[in-house]
Each structure stands twice: as C-alpha cells, then as structure tokens.
Amino acid sequence: MIDPKTVAGRFQRLMGIPWTAEEDERLREMIGDLPRQLVWAEFRADARRHGWPMRTKKAIDIRAGKLGLTFRCTGMYLTPTDVGEILGIAASIPMRWLQRYDDLPRRRFGKKWYVRRDELRRWASNPAHQRVFGGIDVDRLAMLVEDRDLAKLILQRHPTRGTHRPVRCVETGRRYASISAAARANYLTFSAIWHALNEKRRAGGWTWEAI
C-alpha cells in the first residue's frame, strides 16, 4: 500500500504548492534575525503546528529570494563580521574576542560562529570586558548593545583606544610615553601592542602593561 504522505510529497515536488500569506509573514519575521539553519528548523516546526506544507530547505531559500529577503543576520544573532561592521572595526577583532574570552557565549551554525545580541550585552556589562570597546563611537556601540546608557558608561571608563597611554614592557622594564612610541621602538604595530594591553596577550614575545 502506498503511503499517502509519500504521494503528497511527490505531488508537492512536481507541482508545487502555493505559498500562503501566513508562511510569507513567518519568513519575514525570522530571516535576518536568525541564522539560516535556525530558520529552516523553526519554519518546519511551525509548519507542523499549523498544518502548513512541509517545505524543503531549498524551497525556503528560493521563496526567501523571491520575497527579497537575505539570510544575513542583523537582528538577534550576529557574526563577528556583523559586530565589526556595526562597531566600525575589523571583523578580526570580534573574532579574537571569541578566541580569547571563553565566557563570551557563542553558537556555531554551519561554518559560522554567532553571538546573540542579548548575551553580548550582558557580557559587555561586566567591567572586566569593557576595555575592548574603548574608543568605539557611542552611537555604534549603543546600536550593538541596544542600551545607550551602557554604551555611555563603557566609554566614560574607556574613552579612547589608548593611543597616548604610557606603557611598560614587563620583561625589560622599559617605559614608553605612548603605545605608538613603544611600537616604533620595538618594530611592532600599534594594533599588536593595543591588543596585548586589552586582551592580555603578548606582542613581540613580551608582556605589556599600561602605567
């Protein structure tokens, strides 16, 4: 005996079942807020609950394109690239946060890492992490954490990236008037020493500290 569900599935693939306004609206709610893999799972779960056709992943992708929707997340879930673009910094910097800070929540969908905006906001609320946002434009930071008061507080504590901050090489004991001066004297980049100071890393094989 032929399974009716099998017949229905074959008919859908051959003929196509028109999309409803409710399905389109649900896609608009999710796409741009959730990673593609979550959109697939959530939409199929909704289909089971509401009795909608069980659309394939490919069908969902095609329908999204026809609706002019992009799967790039700019809402709840953000990639390091998204975070970098919002803050006006290189995408490699948020990626290094993920590598450096084990307590920064992250999720992997497919080949990409994502952070949830609400979890990133809680992480940024911890004074121990706020130095990494030093010197970021307040409007950009407020856009990321969705909390202008928090953004202002962070930048009051860390108003600049520390270009003119005196620094010392721990191993040699030598002091420098600024990060730039230390970088020039030791044939390093400004960025290398800045990240060493803010992310507790080494630069040029040495340990650096602000004084």
Side-chain angles (χ1 to χ4, degrees), residues 37 39 52 56 66 98 102 107 125 128 147 161 167 185:
Q37 290 81 358
V39 171
W52 299 340
T56 64
K66 289 182 177 179
L98 294 180
D102 293 335
R107 294 168 173 79
S125 298
D147 186 333
R161 292 184 63 187
V167 297

Side-chain angles (χ1 to χ4, degrees), residues 161-169 174-197 203-204 206 208:
R161 292 184 63 187
T163 306
H164 302 293
R165 183 175 15 163
V167 297
R168 182 175 74 90
C169 175
R174 186 171 179 181
R175 300 184 177 211
Y176 303 89
S178 67
I179 293 177
S180 296
R184 287 193 299 270
N186 294 279
Y187 303 98
L188 298 171
T189 63
F190 172 94
S191 179
I193 297 180
W194 184 84
H195 288 298
L197 291 168
W206 297 310
W208 300 86

Side-chain angles (χ1 to χ4, degrees), residues 39-184:
V39 171
W40 292 337
E42 291 291 327
F43 188 85
R44 291 169 70 85
D46 286 341
R48 285 189 288 270
R49 283 194 294 269
H50 300 295
W52 299 340
M54 192 56 64
R55 311 288 186 181
T56 64
K57 296 176 182 178
K58 183 177 181 180
I60 293 172
D61 289 353
I62 291 173
R63 187 60 178 176
K66 289 182 177 179
L67 294 174
L69 304 174
T70 174
F71 280 94
R72 180 178 177 184
C73 289
T74 56
M76 182 188 304
Y77 286 84
L78 301 170
T79 66
T81 298
D82 297 326
V83 173
E85 289 190 358
I86 291 172
L87 296 180
I89 59 177
S92 59
I93 295 176
M95 193 65 213
R96 282 197 290 269
W97 299 345
L98 294 180
Q99 296 166 351
R100 178 65 184 175
Y101 298 101
D102 293 335
D103 60 344
L104 175 54
R106 80 289 308 270
R107 294 168 173 79
R108 187 166 187 168
F109 298 105
K111 297 181 179 180
K112 294 183 178 181
W113 286 103
Y114 292 84
V115 294
R116 280 179 56 118
R117 199 184 289 262
D118 56 343
E119 293 175 341
L120 181 59
R121 180 170 55 250
R122 285 195 292 272
W123 186 81
S125 298
N126 185 336
H129 303 141
Q130 292 174 353
R131 186 177 292 278
V132 302
F133 300 107
I136 299 294
D137 178 78
V138 65
D139 292 327
R140 288 179 174 272
L141 184 54
M143 186 185 303
L144 175 66
V145 300
E146 297 182 327
D147 186 333
R148 178 163 286 275
D149 290 338
L150 175 60
K152 288 180 178 179
L153 176 63
I154 291 173
L155 292 171
Q156 285 173 0
R157 292 172 174 169
H158 308 285
T160 70
R161 292 184 63 187
T163 306
H164 302 293
R165 183 175 15 163
V167 297
R168 182 175 74 90
C169 175
V170 174
E171 286 79 7
T172 66
R174 186 171 179 181
R175 300 184 177 211
Y176 303 89
S178 67
I179 293 177
S180 296
R184 287 193 299 270

Side-chain angles (χ1 to χ4, degrees), residues 19-29 63 67:
W19 286 71
T20 65
E22 289 79 9
E23 290 177 290
D24 287 348
E25 182 60 27
R26 185 61 180 131
L27 286 181
R28 291 189 179 96
E29 291 173 354
R63 187 60 178 176
L67 294 174

